């Protein structure tokens, strides 16, 4: 039977779109009839908010006499604080000459002269920007978070790589940790670990551990079974096989896990400043609160430089042949750099001299004001048009519809797209959000996420298709995508704030920039993975380039495109919540308010949980979609 029709019991053949269209008409009719009823307006004095706030007060009052804190949580906080103080004191003792020399030496050993020059220039940039002490604090915090993340993540990843049962058990936990927006970590951590460097390091660990576990598990599980069997047949024990076969063969991929852990940690340490974590995040948050890009930009540049430097060093380590010996010249050069830096410690001041710094705050603020004055008409038109055509109608629809109708619509769509189990998970998440009392703000957040994801997918598809069809274009945009993916999330707020001011569209613009790179990569990889024989067969049958794209490549790259949509949703949701600092409102505003005002802590804590539930709901729908059969392959009877 043709896949474009549906057969009924009477033999009548209906178009395949008839059933979905009929269901859509029923939902529209129900909305018209019940509009404005069954809504759940936001109440900041809701009992559940007050109960959580009272719990926070009780915990603060009993922090020093409760056994859970006295014998467990306080020791964790003290250990992390001691480790941070150790790194911070050591880096401060080295001063800028010592850190510059040691980083240059490590970079030379990792990747040669070019990486060493990058390290010397990058470390010097921290001082030139006038952010030496903040940069040292950020390096110390990243070092602590990465060290602890790898100490936990690599052993667990190895265990998961060797055991399918362990991998299945920890996958849901890792999913939640990665779906959960970064803001959602902060409220419970402030509750249990107070504020400061320890809480910031632990928050960073939660964000950076999942890639360490996942990539390590993948590396170990993909080791050749033949090599493992050969080791066992020679009488090697399990531990010998692990250290002599699994880990050496998985070395390059585990180096990638370390690299991704460092990148995740750098993304989180800025946000951790909201719970008083030290470092460059303080300058960025201060600039956001004052809406001054001139304050934010130097700190954002410093974070980007740090990310690029560490990324290039770890990438060089991963690509190096483990059996290749370093030349004597490289060892002598690295040793000379380290020795020169250490020898200059007692001679030069440990803090970067102010005479060698450049202050660009006034100039950047002047440039932003010029852009606002000269581009005001264009940016205002874009912002107002998007609000009028997309944001306002969708928000009005979601907030005025009965909660049960929205839940039923999500259930039907999820069932259709991903199957029964993901649909039930999505429904459970929405019901939990309704019970938590943040339904209205959740619908507002979902509006922002939906618009941002739509724009990100359109741009990502266009750029991904262009890259897949043109190797030259792919080569041009690849370094731009690399740079975009190494930048911490907060950096994307800089151009958005400069162009659009503090509005919810600012958060959407920043979210699109943040989410587009992975979407482009996944679409490009999916199209390139289409078998060449299929493409040749379509071309030989007379397909035009447009027909080849729409009839062959895009349908066969369906899984990659759905994965791109999934990643776009997860990253956009995280960024939209961060965008609360520049006017996004809704759940993100509740979370930020909960941090800044003790009386609203309960509302912020509950809003963080609701954000997680919203992320799980959207993630499960799109994750299940790539496991469903294509509509062309379904049979209707």
């Amino acid at each position: 039977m043709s896949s474009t029709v549906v057969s009924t019991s009477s033999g009548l053949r209906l178009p395949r779109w008839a059933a979905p269209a009929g269901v859509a008409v029923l939902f529209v009719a129900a909305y018209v009839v019940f509009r404005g009823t069954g809504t759940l307006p936001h109440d900041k004095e809701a009992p559940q908010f007050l109960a959580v706030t009272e719990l926070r007060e009780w915990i603060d009052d009993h922090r020093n006499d409760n056994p859970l804190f006295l014998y467990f949580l306080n020791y964790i906080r003290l250990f992390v604080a001691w480790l941070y103080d150790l790194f911070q004191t050591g880096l401060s003792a080295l001063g800028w000459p010592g850190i510059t020399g040691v980083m240059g030496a490590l970079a030379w050993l990792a990747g040669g002269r070019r990486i060493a020059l990058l390290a010397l220039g990058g470390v010097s940039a921290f001082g030139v920007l006038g952010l030496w002490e903040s940069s040292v604090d950020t390096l110390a915090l990243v070092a602590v978070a990465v060290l602890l993340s790898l100490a936990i993540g690599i052993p667990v990843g190895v265990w998961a790589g060797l055991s399918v049962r362990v991998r299945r058990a920890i996958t849901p936990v890792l999913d939640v940790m990665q779906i959960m927006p970064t803001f959602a970590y902060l409220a419970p951590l402030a509750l249990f670990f107070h504020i400061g460097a320890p809480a910031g390091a632990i928050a960073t660990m939660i964000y950076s551990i999942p890639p360490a576990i996942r990539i390590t598990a993948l590396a170990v599980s993909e080791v050749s079974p033949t090599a493992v069997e050969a080791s066992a047949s020679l009488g090697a024990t399990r531990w010998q096989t692990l250290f002599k076969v699994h880990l050496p063969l998985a070395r390059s991929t585990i180096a990638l896990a370390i690299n991704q852990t460092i990148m995740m940690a750098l993304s989180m340490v800025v946000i951790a400043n909201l719970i008083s974590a030290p470092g460059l995040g303080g300058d960025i948050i201060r600039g956001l609160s004052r809406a001054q890009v001139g304050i934010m930009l130097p700190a954002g540049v410093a974070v980007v430089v740090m990310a690029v430097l560490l990324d290039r060093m770890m990438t060089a380590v991963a690509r190096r042949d483990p059996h290749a010996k370093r030349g004597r010249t490289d060892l002598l050069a690295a040793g000379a750099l380290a020795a020169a830096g250490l020898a200059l410690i007692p001679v030069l001041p440990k803090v970067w001299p102010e005479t060698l710094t450049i202050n660009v705050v006034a100039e950047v603020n002047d440039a932003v004001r010029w852009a606002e004055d000269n581009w005001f008409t264009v940016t205002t038109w874009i912002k107002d048009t998007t609000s009028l055509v997309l944001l306002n109608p969708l928000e009005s629809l979601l907030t005025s519809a009965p909660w049960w109708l929205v839940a039923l619509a999500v259930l039907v769509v999820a069932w259709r797209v991903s199957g029964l189990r993901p649909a039930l998970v999505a429904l459970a998440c929405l019901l939990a959000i309704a019970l938590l009392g943040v339904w209205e703000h959740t619908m507002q957040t979902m509006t922002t996420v939906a618009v941002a994801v739509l724009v990100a997918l359109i741009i990502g598809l266009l750029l991904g298709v262009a890259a897949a069809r043109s190797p030259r274009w792919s080569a041009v945009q690849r370094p731009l995508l690399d740079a975009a993916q190494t930048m911490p999330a907060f950096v994307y707020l800089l151009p958005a704030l400069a162009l659009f001011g503090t509005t919810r569209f600012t958060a959407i613009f920043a979210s699109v920039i943040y989410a587009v790179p992975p979407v482009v990569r996944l679409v490009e990889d999916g199209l390139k993975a289409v078998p060449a024989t299929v493409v040749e067969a379509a071309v030989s049958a007379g397909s035009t380039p447009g027909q080849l794209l729409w009839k062959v490549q895009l349908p066969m790259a369906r899984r990659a495109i759905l994965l791109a949509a999934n990643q776009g949703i997860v990253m956009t949701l995280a960024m939209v919540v961060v965008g609360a600092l520049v006017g996004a409102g809704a759940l993100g505003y509740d979370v930020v308010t909960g941090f800044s005002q003790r009386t609203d802590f309960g509302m912020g804590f509950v809003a963080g949980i609701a954000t997680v539930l919203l992320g799980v709901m959207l993630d499960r729908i799109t994750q299940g979609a790539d496991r469903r059969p294509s509509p062309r392959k379904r049979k209707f009877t």
Side-chain angles (χ1 to χ4, degrees), residues 588-613:
Y589 175 80
D590 294 338
V591 175
V592 174
T593 303
F595 293 142
S596 58
Q597 302 180 22
R598 291 178 64 89
T599 56
D600 291 325
F601 178 83
M603 182 180 66
F605 187 87
V606 173
I609 296 175
T611 306
V612 175
L613 293 172

Side-chain angles (χ1 to χ4, degrees), residues 81-390:
W82 170 82
L83 199 58
Y84 170 77
D85 290 338
L86 180 66
F87 275 95
Q88 203 276 340
T89 303
L91 290 173
S92 298
L94 286 175
W96 73 265
I99 293 177
T100 305
V102 171
M103 287 294 291
L106 293 175
W108 197 304
L109 293 176
R113 180 175 54 191
R114 292 184 178 179
I115 305 297
L117 291 174
L118 176 64
L120 294 175
V123 174
S124 300
F126 304 148
V128 172
L129 292 170
L131 297 167
W132 180 259
E133 293 181 353
S134 297
S135 300
V136 169
D137 292 341
T138 297
L139 274 174
L141 194 63
V142 169
V144 171
V146 170
L147 178 64
L148 295 176
S149 297
L150 296 178
I152 297 172
I154 289 182
V156 173
V158 170
W159 190 16
L162 296 174
S163 171
V164 176
R165 183 177 299 176
V166 173
R167 187 158 62 248
R168 290 175 178 172
I170 66 173
T171 295
V173 179
L174 299 179
D175 288 343
V176 172
M177 292 171 71
Q178 288 194 295
I179 295 167
M180 188 184 302
T182 51
F183 264 97
Y185 299 152
L186 303 184
L189 288 173
L191 187 64
F192 292 111
F193 295 101
H194 211 30
I195 59 176
I202 295 171
T204 304
M205 284 176 58
I206 296 174
Y207 189 59
S208 57
I209 278 180
I213 296 176
R214 287 187 187 277
I215 299 176
T216 302
L218 177 66
V220 173
S221 65
E222 290 188 344
V223 170
S224 171
T226 305
V228 176
E229 292 172 2
S231 175
S233 65
L234 293 173
T237 64
R238 294 178 60 184
W239 287 103
Q240 289 173 328
T241 301
L242 173 64
F243 286 102
K244 299 293 185 180
V245 179
H246 281 105
L247 294 183
L249 292 178
R251 171 187 168 277
S252 59
T253 309
I254 293 176
L256 176 61
I258 297 173
N259 180 45
Q260 289 300 302
T261 302
I262 294 173
M263 293 301 103
M264 292 291 185
L266 273 170
S267 296
M268 187 63 190
V269 291
V270 177
I271 300 173
N273 181 262
L274 292 172
I275 51 176
S276 298
L280 294 166
D283 299 279
I284 295 179
I285 299 297
R286 184 159 52 90
L288 282 173
S289 63
R290 300 179 184 179
Q292 291 192 21
V293 179
I295 298 176
M296 298 170 58
L297 183 62
V301 171
V303 174
V304 172
V305 169
M306 192 179 298
V308 171
L309 170 59
L310 297 176
D311 174 70
R312 294 297 181 267
M313 289 176 63
M314 288 308 306
T315 301
V317 171
R319 292 176 177 174
R320 179 182 286 274
D321 184 355
H323 302 292
K325 295 183 179 180
R326 294 180 177 85
R328 185 175 181 181
T329 304
D330 290 339
L331 293 176
L332 290 175
L337 277 175
L342 295 175
L344 291 174
I345 293 176
V347 178
L348 298 176
K350 294 182 179 179
V351 179
W352 188 274
E354 292 187 7
T355 54
L356 299 179
T357 61
I358 299 176
N359 191 333
V360 295
V361 174
E363 290 77 6
V364 172
N365 285 335
D366 290 341
V368 171
R369 281 191 290 269
W370 178 88
E372 290 174 348
D373 293 338
N374 289 272
W375 298 346
F376 176 79
T377 303
V378 176
T379 56
T380 301
W381 180 84
I382 295 173
K383 179 172 55 179
D384 293 345
T385 302
T386 305
S387 298
L388 183 64
V389 176
L390 293 175

Side-chain angles (χ1 to χ4, degrees), residues 1-5 16 416 547 549-556 558 628-636:
M1 187 195 312
S2 172
S3 61
T4 59
V5 297
R16 188 162 55 86
R416 170 68 178 172
Q547 292 173 330
L549 176 65
W550 289 102
K551 299 293 186 180
V552 178
Q553 291 176 309
L554 288 179
M556 296 194 70
R558 175 175 176 269
R628 297 278 286 174
S630 171
R632 295 179 179 272
K633 296 181 181 179
R634 297 179 192 170
K635 296 181 180 180
F636 298 90

Side-chain angles (χ1 to χ4, degrees), residues 460-486:
L461 279 170
L462 292 175
L463 295 179
V465 169
R469 304 184 74 173
S470 171
R472 181 175 299 178
W473 175 254
S474 177
V476 169
Q477 76 175 12
R478 187 179 298 117
L480 299 176
L481 297 178
D482 289 341
Q485 287 195 291
T486 56

